[in-house]
Amino acid sequence: MIFDTHAHYDDRAFDADREELLQTVKAAGVGLILDPGCDAKSSRAAIALAERFDFVYAAVGIHPEELAGWDEDALGEIRALAEHPRCLAIGEVGLDYYWDDSRKEEQKLLFRWQCELALELDKPVIVHDREAHGDCLAVVRDYPRLRGVFHCYSGSAEMAKELLGRGWYLGFDGPVTYKNARKTLEVLEICPADRMLIETDSPYLSPVPMRGKRNDSRNLRYVIGKIAELRGLSPEEVERVTEENGRRLFGL
Ligand code: NI
């Protein structure tokens, strides 16, 4: 079965057809989905979805783009939700200097608080790193026992080697099918098979040939196809190995 380890089915882009779509996605061979929250409200929604669908699990956290929603109440709620039995990880959390690099210190503080929560609860972390590679690496270096995935990995091969050496997993998404994917494909070539995860980031990041449309987990077949081609594996092997990896990292 396919394990989509990063899909935001709580997003309002799915309001019109969420239930039906999830059934369709499951019938198409996607047997496991992990839905990460981006703030307290969407983390709550992710948990609610995970309670309703037996093949959906949640992660909870405050995304760096949601800095405005960060206060004591929100952190308290994330902590409480993180202990829910359907919550497998802390995420999506991290640093994003692409949209706003004016509050770097605040972003780092929020990221660190959530890394420490993950350690305290012994859960992996789902890291969002956009244009913040050096600082993300610096934070995770400070927590050598921390494990998780760098979601939609976009750093260098050199940084990937360090993360892999530290026990991290790398997430590959629709962009591996894009024309400008050279750097990510280099990383995909050196990533050990037992450390790669496949993700959609639905409703975003649709792979070619669905680019520009709303994404859903069925489109992982294009990401699987690209990995299979690049690594000389069959699509079935890519599907099997990434499912095993996801189960191992998230404790399923
Ligand atoms: Ni995401």
Side-chain angles (χ1 to χ4, degrees):
M1 70 166 68
I2 293 173
F3 186 175
D4 184 351
T5 55
H6 195 117
H8 302 279
Y9 284 107
D10 63 279
D11 191 280
R12 74 162 88 87
F14 298 110
D15 280 355
D17 61 348
R18 183 174 291 110
E19 313 265 327
E20 199 187 317
L21 178 65
L22 280 168
Q23 299 303 351
T24 308
V25 155
K26 189 177 186 188
V30 181
L32 283 168
I33 291 169
L34 180 51
D35 182 330
C38 294
D39 57 14
K41 184 171 171 239
S42 73
S43 295
R44 218 182 302 134
I47 294 276
L49 261 192
E51 282 175 333
R52 211 154 69 239
F53 293 90
D54 62 357
F55 67 110
V56 177
Y57 289 85
V60 303
I62 302 177
H63 191 286
E65 278 177 60
E66 305 297 333
L67 263 192
W70 179 25
D71 60 22
E72 288 293 315
D73 287 351
L75 293 184
E77 185 164 8
I78 294 298
R79 174 182 287 276
L81 289 171
E83 298 195 66
H84 190 285
R86 304 288 294 180
C87 171
L88 303 182
I90 303 301
E92 100 178 66
V93 303
L95 303 173
D96 190 319
Y97 299 163
Y98 176 80
W99 293 108
D100 180 6
D101 68 355
S102 67
R103 296 164 78 184
K104 289 185 180 176
E105 291 313 309
E106 204 180 338
Q107 286 199 29
K108 284 187 226 173
L109 211 61
L110 178 61
F111 185 23
R112 284 179 183 279
W113 187 91
Q114 297 182 98
C115 289
E116 285 163 22
L117 177 65
L119 281 172
E120 186 191 321
L121 300 179
D122 197 22
K123 288 186 194 289
V125 176
I126 299 167
V127 176
H128 171 100
D129 163 17
R130 191 158 186 204
E131 312 272 320
H133 308 315
D135 283 357
C136 276
L137 194 53
V139 170
V140 304
R141 275 182 188 143
D142 281 346
Y143 302 103
R145 285 194 305 111
L146 195 64
R147 293 292 175 267
V149 55
F150 266 62
H151 146 64
C152 194
Y153 184 75
S154 60
S156 65
E158 194 188 351
M159 173 167 157
K161 283 179 196 157
E162 175 167 349
L163 289 171
L164 292 162
R166 291 177 174 276
W168 287 78
Y169 289 69
L170 304 178
F172 297 98
D173 303 50
V176 301
T177 66
Y178 300 172
K179 275 207 169 66
N180 62 356
R182 191 188 50 82
K183 201 168 104 179
T184 312
L185 297 186
E186 271 174 39
V187 174
L188 200 43
E189 274 174 24
I190 59 144
C191 183
D194 64 356
R195 293 298 186 78
M196 51 177 73
L197 298 177
I198 49 172
E199 320 173 319
T200 52
D201 206 16
S202 297
Y204 312 108
L205 300 182
S206 293
V208 173
M210 309 304 275
R211 204 170 173 182
K213 302 198 176 97
R214 183 183 75 171
N215 202 4
D216 72 58
S217 306
R218 288 172 295 180
N219 293 333
L220 273 180
R221 66 179 189 273
Y222 300 111
V223 175
I224 290 171
K226 187 73 199 180
I227 297 175
E229 175 198 321
L230 203 75
R231 301 287 295 236
L233 299 168
S234 68
E236 293 72 23
E237 283 172 292
V238 174
E239 192 178 312
R240 184 185 54 77
V241 88
T242 52
E243 180 199 343
E244 278 174 16
N245 296 344
R247 287 182 180 276
R248 187 185 322 113
L249 176 62
F250 296 110
L252 284 176

